[in-house]
mmCIF file of all heavy atoms in Angstrom:
data_model
loop_
_atom_site.group_PDB
_atom_site.id
_atom_site.type_symbol
_atom_site.label_atom_id
_atom_site.label_comp_id
_atom_site.label_asym_id
_atom_site.label_seq_id
_atom_site.Cartn_x
_atom_site.Cartn_y
_atom_site.Cartn_z
ATOM 1 N N LEU H 1451 12.747 16.305 -8.290
ATOM 2 C CA LEU H 1451 12.580 16.850 -6.934
ATOM 3 C C LEU H 1451 13.435 16.109 -5.897
ATOM 4 O O LEU H 1451 13.961 16.731 -4.984
ATOM 5 C CB LEU H 1451 11.114 16.822 -6.528
ATOM 6 C CG LEU H 1451 10.149 17.695 -7.321
ATOM 7 C CD1 LEU H 1451 8.743 17.612 -6.744
ATOM 8 C CD2 LEU H 1451 10.601 19.158 -7.360
ATOM 9 N N TYR H 1452 13.538 14.787 -6.030
ATOM 10 C CA TYR H 1452 14.207 13.981 -4.984
ATOM 11 C C TYR H 1452 15.643 13.615 -5.334
ATOM 12 O O TYR H 1452 16.239 12.746 -4.691
ATOM 13 C CB TYR H 1452 13.433 12.691 -4.731
ATOM 14 C CG TYR H 1452 12.057 12.895 -4.131
ATOM 15 C CD1 TYR H 1452 10.918 12.791 -4.931
ATOM 16 C CD2 TYR H 1452 11.909 13.157 -2.771
ATOM 17 C CE1 TYR H 1452 9.655 12.950 -4.387
ATOM 18 C CE2 TYR H 1452 10.645 13.327 -2.221
ATOM 19 C CZ TYR H 1452 9.521 13.235 -3.020
ATOM 20 O OH TYR H 1452 8.256 13.397 -2.490
ATOM 21 N N ARG H 1453 16.213 14.258 -6.341
ATOM 22 C CA ARG H 1453 17.516 13.836 -6.827
ATOM 23 C C ARG H 1453 18.618 13.887 -5.753
ATOM 24 O O ARG H 1453 19.613 13.173 -5.830
ATOM 25 C CB ARG H 1453 17.943 14.672 -8.036
ATOM 26 C CG ARG H 1453 18.090 16.155 -7.772
ATOM 27 C CD ARG H 1453 18.399 16.919 -9.083
ATOM 28 N NE ARG H 1453 18.520 18.359 -8.893
ATOM 29 C CZ ARG H 1453 17.512 19.186 -8.940
ATOM 30 N NH1 ARG H 1453 16.276 18.717 -9.175
ATOM 31 N NH2 ARG H 1453 17.671 20.492 -8.738
ATOM 32 N N ASN H 1454 18.420 14.722 -4.724
ATOM 33 C CA ASN H 1454 19.426 14.800 -3.655
ATOM 34 C C ASN H 1454 18.947 14.162 -2.344
ATOM 35 O O ASN H 1454 19.585 14.362 -1.302
ATOM 36 C CB ASN H 1454 19.796 16.263 -3.416
ATOM 37 C CG ASN H 1454 20.473 16.904 -4.610
ATOM 38 O OD1 ASN H 1454 21.294 16.278 -5.282
ATOM 39 N ND2 ASN H 1454 20.111 18.144 -4.915
ATOM 40 N N ASP H 1455 17.848 13.427 -2.396
ATOM 41 C CA ASP H 1455 17.303 12.789 -1.182
ATOM 42 C C ASP H 1455 17.794 11.336 -1.134
ATOM 43 O O ASP H 1455 17.426 10.519 -1.982
ATOM 44 C CB ASP H 1455 15.767 12.844 -1.215
ATOM 45 C CG ASP H 1455 15.141 12.441 0.110
ATOM 46 O OD1 ASP H 1455 15.556 11.413 0.667
ATOM 47 O OD2 ASP H 1455 14.229 13.136 0.570
ATOM 48 N N LYS H 1456 18.601 11.014 -0.143
ATOM 49 C CA LYS H 1456 19.225 9.695 -0.077
ATOM 50 C C LYS H 1456 18.230 8.591 0.246
ATOM 51 O O LYS H 1456 18.527 7.420 -0.003
ATOM 52 C CB LYS H 1456 20.332 9.682 0.961
ATOM 53 C CG LYS H 1456 19.889 9.953 2.398
ATOM 54 C CD LYS H 1456 21.088 9.995 3.333
ATOM 55 C CE LYS H 1456 20.652 10.320 4.772
ATOM 56 N NZ LYS H 1456 19.733 9.346 5.360
ATOM 57 N N ASN H 1457 17.051 8.932 0.790
ATOM 58 C CA ASN H 1457 16.086 7.920 1.192
ATOM 59 C C ASN H 1457 15.066 7.555 0.099
ATOM 60 O O ASN H 1457 14.519 6.459 0.105
ATOM 61 C CB ASN H 1457 15.319 8.350 2.443
ATOM 62 C CG ASN H 1457 16.179 8.337 3.678
ATOM 63 O OD1 ASN H 1457 17.005 7.432 3.862
ATOM 64 N ND2 ASN H 1457 16.019 9.324 4.548
ATOM 65 N N TRP H 1458 14.809 8.490 -0.810
ATOM 66 C CA TRP H 1458 13.783 8.250 -1.829
ATOM 67 C C TRP H 1458 14.219 7.130 -2.772
ATOM 68 O O TRP H 1458 15.387 6.996 -3.136
ATOM 69 C CB TRP H 1458 13.543 9.527 -2.632
ATOM 70 C CG TRP H 1458 12.480 9.379 -3.690
ATOM 71 C CD1 TRP H 1458 11.144 9.229 -3.487
ATOM 72 C CD2 TRP H 1458 12.679 9.339 -5.106
ATOM 73 N NE1 TRP H 1458 10.479 9.117 -4.687
ATOM 74 C CE2 TRP H 1458 11.402 9.178 -5.683
ATOM 75 C CE3 TRP H 1458 13.803 9.430 -5.940
ATOM 76 C CZ2 TRP H 1458 11.215 9.115 -7.073
ATOM 77 C CZ3 TRP H 1458 13.630 9.363 -7.295
ATOM 78 C CH2 TRP H 1458 12.352 9.218 -7.869
ATOM 79 N N VAL H 1459 13.246 6.300 -3.147
ATOM 80 C CA VAL H 1459 13.466 5.222 -4.099
ATOM 81 C C VAL H 1459 12.534 5.422 -5.279
ATOM 82 O O VAL H 1459 11.312 5.523 -5.107
ATOM 83 C CB VAL H 1459 13.233 3.839 -3.473
ATOM 84 C CG1 VAL H 1459 13.473 2.735 -4.519
ATOM 85 C CG2 VAL H 1459 14.135 3.628 -2.270
ATOM 86 N N CYS H 1460 13.087 5.479 -6.474
ATOM 87 C CA CYS H 1460 12.263 5.688 -7.663
ATOM 88 C C CYS H 1460 11.563 4.382 -8.041
ATOM 89 O O CYS H 1460 12.224 3.381 -8.300
ATOM 90 C CB CYS H 1460 13.159 6.140 -8.810
ATOM 91 S SG CYS H 1460 12.230 6.478 -10.315
ATOM 92 N N PRO H 1461 10.234 4.377 -8.048
ATOM 93 C CA PRO H 1461 9.527 3.174 -8.510
ATOM 94 C C PRO H 1461 9.781 2.960 -9.997
ATOM 95 O O PRO H 1461 10.184 3.904 -10.710
ATOM 96 C CB PRO H 1461 8.064 3.490 -8.202
ATOM 97 C CG PRO H 1461 7.982 4.969 -8.174
ATOM 98 C CD PRO H 1461 9.316 5.467 -7.695
ATOM 99 N N LEU H 1462 9.561 1.779 -10.468
ATOM 100 C CA LEU H 1462 9.732 1.515 -11.883
ATOM 101 C C LEU H 1462 8.745 2.353 -12.691
ATOM 102 O O LEU H 1462 7.552 2.411 -12.374
ATOM 103 C CB LEU H 1462 9.511 0.023 -12.173
ATOM 104 C CG LEU H 1462 10.615 -0.929 -11.701
ATOM 105 C CD1 LEU H 1462 10.174 -2.388 -11.942
ATOM 106 C CD2 LEU H 1462 11.933 -0.646 -12.392
ATOM 107 N N ASP H 1463 9.252 2.972 -13.733
ATOM 108 C CA ASP H 1463 8.361 3.749 -14.616
ATOM 109 C C ASP H 1463 7.208 2.892 -15.089
ATOM 110 O O ASP H 1463 6.050 3.359 -15.154
ATOM 111 C CB ASP H 1463 9.154 4.242 -15.852
ATOM 112 C CG ASP H 1463 10.229 5.238 -15.502
ATOM 113 O OD1 ASP H 1463 10.241 5.746 -14.340
ATOM 114 O OD2 ASP H 1463 11.073 5.532 -16.366
ATOM 115 N N ARG H 1464 7.506 1.652 -15.408
ATOM 116 C CA ARG H 1464 6.458 0.758 -15.931
ATOM 117 C C ARG H 1464 5.358 0.502 -14.908
ATOM 118 O O ARG H 1464 4.186 0.376 -15.245
ATOM 119 C CB ARG H 1464 7.102 -0.593 -16.346
ATOM 120 C CG ARG H 1464 6.174 -1.508 -17.093
ATOM 121 C CD ARG H 1464 5.933 -0.985 -18.514
ATOM 122 N NE ARG H 1464 4.760 -1.594 -19.102
ATOM 123 C CZ ARG H 1464 3.514 -1.146 -18.942
ATOM 124 N NH1 ARG H 1464 3.280 -0.104 -18.191
ATOM 125 N NH2 ARG H 1464 2.525 -1.759 -19.526
ATOM 126 N N THR H 1465 5.724 0.457 -13.636
ATOM 127 C CA THR H 1465 4.738 0.254 -12.559
ATOM 128 C C THR H 1465 3.763 1.426 -12.519
ATOM 129 O O THR H 1465 2.547 1.228 -12.423
ATOM 130 C CB THR H 1465 5.440 0.077 -11.209
ATOM 131 O OG1 THR H 1465 6.266 -1.083 -11.250
ATOM 132 C CG2 THR H 1465 4.415 -0.069 -10.077
ATOM 133 N N ILE H 1466 4.302 2.634 -12.549
ATOM 134 C CA ILE H 1466 3.448 3.825 -12.485
ATOM 135 C C ILE H 1466 2.552 3.905 -13.714
ATOM 136 O O ILE H 1466 1.335 4.169 -13.616
ATOM 137 C CB ILE H 1466 4.295 5.092 -12.363
ATOM 138 C CG1 ILE H 1466 5.168 5.027 -11.093
ATOM 139 C CG2 ILE H 1466 3.392 6.329 -12.318
ATOM 140 C CD1 ILE H 1466 4.421 4.832 -9.807
ATOM 141 N N GLU H 1467 3.117 3.651 -14.882
ATOM 142 C CA GLU H 1467 2.353 3.747 -16.106
ATOM 143 C C GLU H 1467 1.210 2.701 -16.152
ATOM 144 O O GLU H 1467 0.143 2.977 -16.690
ATOM 145 C CB GLU H 1467 3.241 3.595 -17.334
ATOM 146 C CG GLU H 1467 4.060 4.837 -17.641
ATOM 147 C CD GLU H 1467 3.182 6.058 -17.856
ATOM 148 O OE1 GLU H 1467 2.448 6.102 -18.850
ATOM 149 O OE2 GLU H 1467 3.211 6.979 -17.010
ATOM 150 N N SER H 1468 1.430 1.550 -15.565
ATOM 151 C CA SER H 1468 0.406 0.496 -15.570
ATOM 152 C C SER H 1468 -0.822 0.930 -14.786
ATOM 153 O O SER H 1468 -1.943 0.489 -15.094
ATOM 154 C CB SER H 1468 0.967 -0.804 -15.039
ATOM 155 O OG SER H 1468 1.226 -0.736 -13.646
ATOM 156 N N ILE H 1469 -0.632 1.763 -13.784
ATOM 157 C CA ILE H 1469 -1.776 2.224 -12.977
ATOM 158 C C ILE H 1469 -2.696 3.092 -13.804
ATOM 159 O O ILE H 1469 -3.923 3.111 -13.606
ATOM 160 C CB ILE H 1469 -1.261 2.993 -11.745
ATOM 161 C CG1 ILE H 1469 -0.538 2.035 -10.793
ATOM 162 C CG2 ILE H 1469 -2.392 3.716 -11.025
ATOM 163 C CD1 ILE H 1469 0.246 2.705 -9.698
ATOM 164 N N PHE H 1470 -2.152 3.779 -14.795
ATOM 165 C CA PHE H 1470 -2.958 4.685 -15.609
ATOM 166 C C PHE H 1470 -3.285 4.081 -17.000
ATOM 167 O O PHE H 1470 -3.715 4.797 -17.898
ATOM 168 C CB PHE H 1470 -2.248 6.031 -15.771
ATOM 169 C CG PHE H 1470 -2.073 6.729 -14.454
ATOM 170 C CD1 PHE H 1470 -0.886 6.625 -13.735
ATOM 171 C CD2 PHE H 1470 -3.122 7.428 -13.895
ATOM 172 C CE1 PHE H 1470 -0.738 7.231 -12.516
ATOM 173 C CE2 PHE H 1470 -2.981 8.062 -12.657
ATOM 174 C CZ PHE H 1470 -1.791 7.948 -11.964
ATOM 175 N N SER H 1471 -3.091 2.765 -17.089
ATOM 176 C CA SER H 1471 -3.407 2.055 -18.333
ATOM 177 C C SER H 1471 -4.773 1.411 -18.245
ATOM 178 O O SER H 1471 -5.038 0.586 -17.340
ATOM 179 C CB SER H 1471 -2.347 0.977 -18.609
ATOM 180 O OG SER H 1471 -2.777 0.111 -19.634
ATOM 181 N N ARG H 1472 -5.661 1.763 -19.149
ATOM 182 C CA ARG H 1472 -7.012 1.176 -19.139
ATOM 183 C C ARG H 1472 -6.961 -0.301 -19.460
ATOM 184 O O ARG H 1472 -7.862 -1.051 -19.060
ATOM 185 C CB ARG H 1472 -7.902 1.900 -20.154
ATOM 186 C CG ARG H 1472 -8.151 3.341 -19.782
ATOM 187 C CD ARG H 1472 -9.078 4.067 -20.760
ATOM 188 N NE ARG H 1472 -9.250 5.461 -20.339
ATOM 189 C CZ ARG H 1472 -10.111 5.871 -19.427
ATOM 190 N NH1 ARG H 1472 -10.921 4.995 -18.878
ATOM 191 N NH2 ARG H 1472 -10.198 7.136 -19.073
ATOM 192 N N GLU H 1473 -5.922 -0.749 -20.144
ATOM 193 C CA GLU H 1473 -5.820 -2.172 -20.482
ATOM 194 C C GLU H 1473 -5.262 -2.975 -19.311
ATOM 195 O O GLU H 1473 -5.554 -4.163 -19.182
ATOM 196 C CB GLU H 1473 -4.893 -2.358 -21.684
ATOM 197 C CG GLU H 1473 -5.450 -1.835 -23.014
ATOM 198 C CD GLU H 1473 -5.458 -0.311 -23.085
ATOM 199 O OE1 GLU H 1473 -4.542 0.320 -22.504
ATOM 200 O OE2 GLU H 1473 -6.385 0.242 -23.727
ATOM 201 N N GLU H 1474 -4.475 -2.354 -18.433
ATOM 202 C CA GLU H 1474 -3.782 -3.091 -17.378
ATOM 203 C C GLU H 1474 -4.409 -2.956 -15.989
ATOM 204 O O GLU H 1474 -4.280 -3.853 -15.157
ATOM 205 C CB GLU H 1474 -2.306 -2.655 -17.323
ATOM 206 C CG GLU H 1474 -1.534 -2.976 -18.572
ATOM 207 C CD GLU H 1474 -0.093 -2.549 -18.438
ATOM 208 O OE1 GLU H 1474 0.609 -3.144 -17.586
ATOM 209 O OE2 GLU H 1474 0.337 -1.629 -19.169
ATOM 210 N N ASN H 1475 -5.020 -1.804 -15.713
ATOM 211 C CA ASN H 1475 -5.565 -1.569 -14.356
ATOM 212 C C ASN H 1475 -7.049 -1.927 -14.338
ATOM 213 O O ASN H 1475 -7.864 -1.239 -14.952
ATOM 214 C CB ASN H 1475 -5.370 -0.112 -13.965
ATOM 215 C CG ASN H 1475 -5.789 0.169 -12.523
ATOM 216 O OD1 ASN H 1475 -6.423 -0.671 -11.882
ATOM 217 N ND2 ASN H 1475 -5.451 1.333 -12.026
ATOM 218 N N PRO H 1476 -7.442 -2.979 -13.631
ATOM 219 C CA PRO H 1476 -8.838 -3.403 -13.610
ATOM 220 C C PRO H 1476 -9.791 -2.384 -12.988
ATOM 221 O O PRO H 1476 -11.012 -2.480 -13.198
ATOM 222 C CB PRO H 1476 -8.807 -4.704 -12.791
ATOM 223 C CG PRO H 1476 -7.552 -4.647 -12.000
ATOM 224 C CD PRO H 1476 -6.578 -3.881 -12.827
ATOM 225 N N PHE H 1477 -9.280 -1.406 -12.246
ATOM 226 C CA PHE H 1477 -10.148 -0.413 -11.638
ATOM 227 C C PHE H 1477 -10.796 0.504 -12.675
ATOM 228 O O PHE H 1477 -11.804 1.153 -12.369
ATOM 229 C CB PHE H 1477 -9.380 0.400 -10.594
ATOM 230 C CG PHE H 1477 -9.301 -0.277 -9.260
ATOM 231 C CD1 PHE H 1477 -8.529 -1.411 -9.080
ATOM 232 C CD2 PHE H 1477 -10.031 0.193 -8.188
ATOM 233 C CE1 PHE H 1477 -8.478 -2.067 -7.857
ATOM 234 C CE2 PHE H 1477 -9.980 -0.438 -6.950
ATOM 235 C CZ PHE H 1477 -9.207 -1.581 -6.787
ATOM 236 N N PHE H 1478 -10.251 0.553 -13.882
ATOM 237 C CA PHE H 1478 -10.902 1.342 -14.911
ATOM 238 C C PHE H 1478 -12.217 0.749 -15.365
ATOM 239 O O PHE H 1478 -13.019 1.430 -16.022
ATOM 240 C CB PHE H 1478 -9.957 1.482 -16.134
ATOM 241 C CG PHE H 1478 -8.985 2.635 -16.002
ATOM 242 C CD1 PHE H 1478 -7.653 2.379 -15.701
ATOM 243 C CD2 PHE H 1478 -9.380 3.941 -16.203
ATOM 244 C CE1 PHE H 1478 -6.755 3.432 -15.574
ATOM 245 C CE2 PHE H 1478 -8.497 5.008 -16.070
ATOM 246 C CZ PHE H 1478 -7.164 4.730 -15.782
ATOM 247 N N SER H 1479 -12.466 -0.497 -15.011
ATOM 248 C CA SER H 1479 -13.769 -1.114 -15.386
ATOM 249 C C SER H 1479 -14.900 -0.513 -14.581
ATOM 250 O O SER H 1479 -16.082 -0.649 -14.967
ATOM 251 C CB SER H 1479 -13.725 -2.637 -15.181
ATOM 252 O OG SER H 1479 -13.578 -2.953 -13.789
ATOM 253 N N HIS H 1480 -14.615 0.178 -13.492
ATOM 254 C CA HIS H 1480 -15.661 0.832 -12.698
ATOM 255 C C HIS H 1480 -15.171 2.175 -12.161
ATOM 256 O O HIS H 1480 -15.531 2.606 -11.054
ATOM 257 C CB HIS H 1480 -16.130 -0.068 -11.538
ATOM 258 C CG HIS H 1480 -15.034 -0.690 -10.727
ATOM 259 N ND1 HIS H 1480 -14.351 -0.005 -9.765
ATOM 260 C CD2 HIS H 1480 -14.511 -1.944 -10.779
ATOM 261 C CE1 HIS H 1480 -13.430 -0.820 -9.229
ATOM 262 N NE2 HIS H 1480 -13.520 -1.980 -9.833
ATOM 263 N N GLY H 1481 -14.322 2.841 -12.939
ATOM 264 C CA GLY H 1481 -13.838 4.144 -12.516
ATOM 265 C C GLY H 1481 -13.080 4.854 -13.617
ATOM 266 O O GLY H 1481 -12.965 4.362 -14.732
ATOM 267 N N ASP H 1482 -12.552 6.016 -13.280
ATOM 268 C CA ASP H 1482 -11.813 6.802 -14.258
ATOM 269 C C ASP H 1482 -10.710 7.572 -13.538
ATOM 270 O O ASP H 1482 -10.772 7.777 -12.310
ATOM 271 C CB ASP H 1482 -12.749 7.766 -14.985
ATOM 272 C CG ASP H 1482 -12.181 8.251 -16.324
ATOM 273 O OD1 ASP H 1482 -11.094 7.763 -16.718
ATOM 274 O OD2 ASP H 1482 -12.809 9.107 -16.938
ATOM 275 N N ALA H 1483 -9.716 7.988 -14.290
ATOM 276 C CA ALA H 1483 -8.570 8.713 -13.723
ATOM 277 C C ALA H 1483 -8.067 9.741 -14.713
ATOM 278 O O ALA H 1483 -8.265 9.635 -15.918
ATOM 279 C CB ALA H 1483 -7.455 7.737 -13.355
ATOM 280 N N ILE H 1484 -7.404 10.744 -14.166
ATOM 281 C CA ILE H 1484 -6.781 11.778 -14.986
ATOM 282 C C ILE H 1484 -5.513 12.209 -14.261
ATOM 283 O O ILE H 1484 -5.414 12.074 -13.034
ATOM 284 C CB ILE H 1484 -7.736 12.982 -15.169
ATOM 285 C CG1 ILE H 1484 -7.172 13.987 -16.178
ATOM 286 C CG2 ILE H 1484 -8.051 13.652 -13.840
ATOM 287 C CD1 ILE H 1484 -8.168 15.092 -16.549
ATOM 288 N N ARG H 1485 -4.559 12.766 -14.979
ATOM 289 C CA ARG H 1485 -3.340 13.252 -14.323
ATOM 290 C C ARG H 1485 -2.796 14.476 -15.061
ATOM 291 O O ARG H 1485 -3.080 14.681 -16.241
ATOM 292 C CB ARG H 1485 -2.271 12.164 -14.222
ATOM 293 C CG ARG H 1485 -1.986 11.413 -15.497
ATOM 294 C CD ARG H 1485 -0.962 10.308 -15.282
ATOM 295 N NE ARG H 1485 -0.852 9.457 -16.452
ATOM 296 C CZ ARG H 1485 0.224 8.755 -16.758
ATOM 297 N NH1 ARG H 1485 1.300 8.811 -15.974
ATOM 298 N NH2 ARG H 1485 0.243 7.979 -17.840
ATOM 299 N N TRP H 1486 -2.013 15.251 -14.313
ATOM 300 C CA TRP H 1486 -1.454 16.491 -14.840
ATOM 301 C C TRP H 1486 0.000 16.650 -14.381
ATOM 302 O O TRP H 1486 0.431 16.070 -13.377
ATOM 303 C CB TRP H 1486 -2.205 17.700 -14.292
ATOM 304 C CG TRP H 1486 -3.658 17.781 -14.608
ATOM 305 C CD1 TRP H 1486 -4.257 18.341 -15.713
ATOM 306 C CD2 TRP H 1486 -4.736 17.326 -13.769
ATOM 307 N NE1 TRP H 1486 -5.626 18.254 -15.607
ATOM 308 C CE2 TRP H 1486 -5.969 17.651 -14.439
ATOM 309 C CE3 TRP H 1486 -4.807 16.671 -12.536
ATOM 310 C CZ2 TRP H 1486 -7.210 17.333 -13.912
ATOM 311 C CZ3 TRP H 1486 -6.042 16.356 -12.000
ATOM 312 C CH2 TRP H 1486 -7.214 16.679 -12.687
ATOM 313 N N VAL H 1487 0.729 17.474 -15.140
ATOM 314 C CA VAL H 1487 2.024 17.981 -14.688
ATOM 315 C C VAL H 1487 1.921 19.500 -14.640
ATOM 316 O O VAL H 1487 1.117 20.120 -15.356
ATOM 317 C CB VAL H 1487 3.193 17.560 -15.608
ATOM 318 C CG1 VAL H 1487 3.413 16.054 -15.507
ATOM 319 C CG2 VAL H 1487 2.958 17.990 -17.039
ATOM 320 N N LEU H 1488 2.726 20.097 -13.782
ATOM 321 C CA LEU H 1488 2.730 21.552 -13.602
ATOM 322 C C LEU H 1488 4.123 22.088 -13.971
ATOM 323 O O LEU H 1488 5.134 21.558 -13.494
ATOM 324 C CB LEU H 1488 2.390 21.902 -12.168
ATOM 325 C CG LEU H 1488 2.211 23.386 -11.831
ATOM 326 C CD1 LEU H 1488 0.989 23.960 -12.546
ATOM 327 C CD2 LEU H 1488 2.053 23.561 -10.297
#
Side-chain angles (χ1 to χ4, degrees):
L1451 295 183
Y1452 294 103
R1453 61 184 178 274
N1454 296 320
D1455 191 313
K1456 63 182 177 62
N1457 288 322
W1458 181 70
V1459 179
C1460 182
L1462 289 174
D1463 294 348
R1464 190 72 198 86
T1465 298
I1466 301 303
E1467 284 302 293
S1468 69
I1469 292 168
F1470 298 97
S1471 168
R1472 295 182 181 276
E1473 292 73 32
E1474 297 181 65
N1475 186 348
F1477 276 70
F1478 275 104
S1479 66
H1480 48 79
D1482 200 5
I1484 188 172
R1485 50 182 170 155
W1486 301 271
V1487 292
L1488 186 66

